[in-house]
Every structure is written in C-alpha cells, then in structure tokens.
Amino acid sequence: MAPPAWAVALAALCLVALASPAAGFYLPGVAPNDFEKVRPALSPRPLRPAFPRLASRSTSSLERSPLTVFVCGAVTDRVRLGSGVGGARSASVRASRREICLCGSPRLALAAQCAWRCECFDPMSRAKRYKDPLPVKVNKLTSIKTQLPYSYYSLPFCKPDTIVDSAENLGEVLRGDRIENSPYTFEMREPQMCQIVCKITVGEKEAKLLKEKIEDEYRVNMILDNLPLVVPIQRVDQEGAYFYQHGFHVGAKGKYSGSKDEKYFIHNHLSFTVKYHRDEQRDVSRIVAFEVKPYSVKHEYEGQWNDKKTRLTTCDPHAQRVITSSDSPQEVEVGKDIIFTYDVDFKESDIKWASRWDSYLLMTDDQIHWFSIVNSLMIVLFLSGMVAMIMLRTLYRDISKYNQLETQEEAQEETGWKLVHGDVFRPPSNSDWLCVYVGTGVQFFGMLLVTMVFAVLGFLSPSNRGGLMTAMLLLWVFMGLLAGYSSSRLYKLFKGSEWKNIALRTAFTFPGSVFTIFFFLNALIWGQKSSGAVPFTTMFALVLLWFGISVPLVFVGSFLGFKKPTIEDPVKTNKIPRQIPEQAWYMNPIFSILIGGILPFGAVFIELFFILTSIWLHQFYYIFGFLFLVFLILIVTCAEISIVLCYFQLCSEDYLWWWRSYLTSGSSALYLFLYATFYFFTKLEITKFVSAVLYFGYMLIASYAFFALTGTIGFYACFLFTRLIYSSVKIE
C-alpha cells in the first residue's frame, strides 16, 4: 500500500522545483549605503573609505601621502600635480590623450579631467548622489474584532500621485494582503522632523468610515525593507523588555475632561524609528527594525496653507519643537481638516541584519511548548507500552499456542481474534468511499510532511508573506499523484475494476466540498467590500491548478497504482460471513470511536492554541521545530490508539475494522472543532455575524482536513497491524 519509490522521487522532484523559488523567495533588501567603497573600472586596488573633507591641503603634504593610481587608459611615466574641483587636490597626467587619477590618503581627490571616465571621486559625494530613497509601503488594515481586512486607501489617508500595487504571490492574495506604495519616503540616516504629508477635509462619508474603523480597532500595517511596522510596548512582567504589536491603531476613543460624550480621535502624527546595523567591514548600513509611536495631534499653522511648505505651530523642525504626547488630540469631525505629519529618526543597533527577525519572532512562552511536548510524550509512552504489551506478550503467546492447538474446541478457549481470520479481510461496505478518503489523507500527509521539513529547515520564513500558504497549495496539487496511487491500490485490493470512477471521486470529493465552502465565504467577504475577497483572476488560477494539474495527476497516479499487482491477503476469506456476537457496551462503535479521538487531540491541543492565536490574532508563528515534534507525536498517537482499539475489537470477534480504524483516530477532528468553538467564545471578541460565519467556515475546512489526515494514519496502522498478526498464524 505504500507509494512506490518512483512516486516518492517524482514528488521530491516537484518539491525541488518548488523549493528553487522558495530558496530565493526572500532576498531581503539592503538599505542604501551611507558609506560605500568605490571601485573604478580599471583600478589596481580598491579605494579607501571616505574621510571628512579636507578642503585645504598643501602640495607637499599631498606629495608625502601615499597615492593610489587609477588608470583611465594607461599609466604614463610623468605625473603632474594640479588643483582639482572645489579646492580638492588632484593629480592628472595627459600623455598621448591618456589620463590617470591619483587619489591620496587620507583624502580622496577628485580629478575633473577623468572623473567621468574613472569614477575617481569622493565616495561621500557619490553616496549622496546615488542614495536611493527608502520607500514605505502600506498593507491592509486588519482587526481582530472583525477578521475582515480592508485596503489602506479605503480610508481617507494621504495618497501618492500614482498608487502602484506591489507584486504579490498567490498566498498573499488569499491572505487578503494588498501592498501598495505610500507618500512616506525616507533617506538612509537622514532624520526628519515634522514633515507634512497632506491635509484632508473630512466629509460625512469619510467621518463615518473613520469612526467605524476606530470602533472596530483596525490597525494600519506598513512595510519598510520587507520588515513590518511594529509598536513597541513595555512588558509589565519584565523590566526593560518589550513586546511588539503589529501595526498601529487607526485611532482611539476617548472623552474630554469634564465631558461624558465619547469622541473618536485619529492618529495623524507618526513618529518612526528606523534602526540600522552598520557593517564595519563592508561599510554599509542595513535596516534591522521599523518601529512607530502614533500620536493624535490637532495641528495649527500660521498664515495661508502652502502644502508641505506650511510652517506648523504645533511642531516645528526649525525650533526643535517635537511631538511627544497627544495632549491636544485630533477629533474626527465632519467638515474639519486633518493634517498628517511624521517624524523619522535613525538609530544604530547591535542587532545584525541576519538576526533582525528574531525580535519579531521572539518566543517568550517556550516553557508552555515544552510542557506540551512532555504532555504529548507521556501519552505516547502510555500507548507505546500498551502496544508493546499486546505485541510482545499477548500476540506472541497467542500465536505460539494457537499454532500448537489441534482441535477447534481448544482454539475456542483462546482469545477470539484468531477465530475471525476468515472474515477479517472481507471488503467493507462503501469500500469505494473508504478508498477515496484514504487517498485524500495520503495527499494531506505528503503535503504536511514536506511543508514541515522545509519550514524546519528555514525555507518558509514569515518574512516571505504568503510563502507558507503558496507552498502548501502547490504541494497539495502535486501530491495528487500519491492520492490517486493510494486510492487505486486499495480499490484493487477490494476487487474493484472501475479505477477511473475512483480517480474521479478522489480528485473531486474533498477539493469540491472545500471549494464550495470557500466560494460561499468569499461571497460574504465580497459583500462586505473587504480586500480579503479573492479576485476573479485568482479564483480562476485556483480552478486552473485544480483542473489543470491536480486532477490529471490523480488520474496518472490511479492508472499507475491499478497497474500494480493486487495486494495478497495473508489468509483466505470465507464465502459466508461469520456472525458477530453481541458486544459489550464499551465496544459499541460510537463509544469506541469517540474515545479513540481524545488522545490524538490531547497530544496537539496546546500547540493548537498557538496556531489559532497566530491565525486569528494576527501574530507570527515560527516555532516549526516544536510543531514538527508535535506532528510526529500525532502520527505515533493516531497509529497506536487505532492499533489498541482494533486489537480489542478483533478479540471481541468483531471483524468490521476497516471503517472503524479510520473513524477512531479521525474522530479527533470533532474535538478540534469543539475546541475551536470554545476558543471563539473565550479568546476572540468577534461580534459581527459575517465574521463569525467566516471563523466557523474556515475552522470547518480545517477540521475536515484534520479528519482525513488522522483517519488515514489510523487506517494504515491497523492495516499493517492486521496483516502482520494474521500472517503469523498457521491456517490450514
């Protein structure tokens, strides 16, 4: 039943093709160089770093200083010192229309005659000329109360002359990200104070939108050099420690002193802090943090409004008047003007560029994760002990004695699992659907396993927005090959002949139901005019991936699996089914199935809390090492609980184990959905009906997928277990 080597190799090949862009999915930008080494085209050795301008240097001092010769053509044997541009000393030689530049130490001179050809000039001036701006990009507005993202420019914020959408991957679109340019532009290590962005007049429609977003606690998300904007907040439990809130709130509600009326105030002044790390060896500065402190300030100005040249009285860079509080806040009122301003400060940091995401991904609750791992390991050890006892003691003893018995009466006195050998491999009812769901589970298992491995290796960093979702979606499509292969192999074991029918069901059952739910939820989001609504083009791309790649791969896998020889049962199946005796109450199918799902869920529910928090409370999740361990524990737990309950069922002479083994571990999905319901009422503050429907719709999809995954693990564990024990019994 296991996929063949060629199928695994083909899946790995597809993954390598996927990993190629994944490895290069994130090439974090380097902030423009403030100090840059200049390497002229034909220089014998690199120039030295820039030093402060020395405007006056005598010819004798220049002659005494060591010189580096940069050739624009060829070196001549006659050098004449002369005066350069701006008082800088330089050297130039003209011989047969060939020129050279001499750059002395510590001053780098500028040779006017050949600078345009040799680039032998002051690197400080070059840095200023070639200093690229630092564009700040804006992303969606998010709220943990509504879970409905909106575009930044859906609110009356300042807009650039032309709004340009950044290139997005499929995962970003599905997440609702809408990354666009903004009127905020910095220059590296150039502090700015009280810069005016624009002035807007609030109309009735704009005031209503702003008040709604402030009421729902929407946050503004920005990006600089691929780093998300954060608000540092002092931790109460640890002195000097901070945690980071992603994005700043659009505004806040409050009351004036002596008034009972609640007002809405907008954050119209942003105090940015850009932290950089200076690499001494390469003389470059790289951005390592992007922070902000938002303020609400009712700006005032003198004279007539003159756009960005207007001189404000509330903050003035000339008078060094800085905004440090929101004592005079800007209220959202119809007909009133709102002036948007910002400060930007640059601070050198010890954080290296390679570690700049550590502060965003800092895990302060690792003890809880270790507790989760230990708790899960206790469950695994308990189940492993039971399986070991069954395998090493009971089964070994039963098989040895059974093989020595001579009469049926003696065999009847032993445990009953051996008595159903003639019926244990009888095909179950609705065997076609079992094949379909087993194939779907194999598809999910392959997708998650490969995703986990690549995430643990660091290929799927949160710095690549949407990368994880894109990788999972593409892996799901390519794993259709394994789904078709597994379902057709099992179908052939059940003496089936219509492999195309099974392939069709496998390709459409799970994806079709998920797509239906997703389309309904997307229609609700579209009705709310949210940016989270998937555009028609993206929906078409999803359908194209489904019909153009996934479905053909499922059929290819089914064809190859059906061509393989039929799996032989270790014992023959009787023509007449054996009557199943009356079962004890605790062996009732519903009771045993529900009991079987508790332990797999118990092994993962603590980690599930952090996953739900990262999804619905908009936090980063990067503890893939813990998650991979929990995933392995889940596999072992599902396998062992299914084996134990399957053994007890066979001992009760109940041979209908096929569907029971799938449902035993798969029932953990029911507990997952119940826990999601508990999480909704205890941890979330969702009040809108549409948001609640979105939450339960997406959690229903997640539970459905979890059911297919865990059910398939339990099924294959029981399948191998039954084949192992019955192949050890001598049947005449």
Side-chain angles (χ1 to χ4, degrees), residues 25 88 125 216 333 375 388 532 676:
F25 59 70
S125 64
D216 291 332
E333 293 181 285
N375 172 63

Side-chain angles (χ1 to χ4, degrees), residues 711-723:
T712 300
I713 295 173
F715 170 80
Y716 271 112
C718 288
F719 182 79
L720 297 175
F721 171 74
T722 52
R723 294 182 65 83

Side-chain angles (χ1 to χ4, degrees), residues 467-512:
L468 180 63
M469 185 173 293
T470 304
M472 293 179 68
L473 187 62
L474 293 179
L475 280 171
W476 163 264
V477 170
F478 290 121
M479 290 297 170
L481 185 71
L482 301 183
Y485 180 87
S486 303
S487 59
S488 64
R489 288 282 282 161
L490 186 61
Y491 179 67
K492 193 172 184 179
L493 173 66
F494 294 150
K495 313 302 180 184
S497 58
E498 299 293 333
W499 66 270
K500 294 180 182 179
N501 182 25
I502 291 298
L504 195 66
R505 293 194 203 179
T506 305
F508 285 95
T509 298
F510 181 84

Side-chain angles (χ1 to χ4, degrees), residues 86-159:
R89 306 297 296 175
S90 66
S92 64
V93 172
R94 296 180 184 274
S96 302
R97 303 183 64 84
R98 294 176 178 178
E99 301 168 341
I100 65 171
C101 300
L102 273 68
C103 301
S105 172
R107 172 77 181 116
L108 298 179
L110 173 63
Q113 294 88 344
C114 62
W116 63 275
R117 195 176 296 178
C118 276
E119 292 189 330
C120 179
F121 50 81
D122 188 355
M124 184 64 73
S125 64
R126 181 182 188 276
K128 290 181 179 178
R129 266 203 288 168
Y130 287 90
K131 184 181 294 182
D132 296 329
L134 301 180
V136 177
K137 297 181 180 180
V138 292
N139 200 351
K140 60 187 176 182
L141 306 173
T142 56
S143 170
I144 61 176
K145 295 183 69 175
T146 67
Q147 302 296 332
L148 293 171
Y150 286 90
S151 170
Y152 176 83
Y153 293 113
S154 63
L155 291 183
F157 290 133
C158 301
K159 299 179 181 180

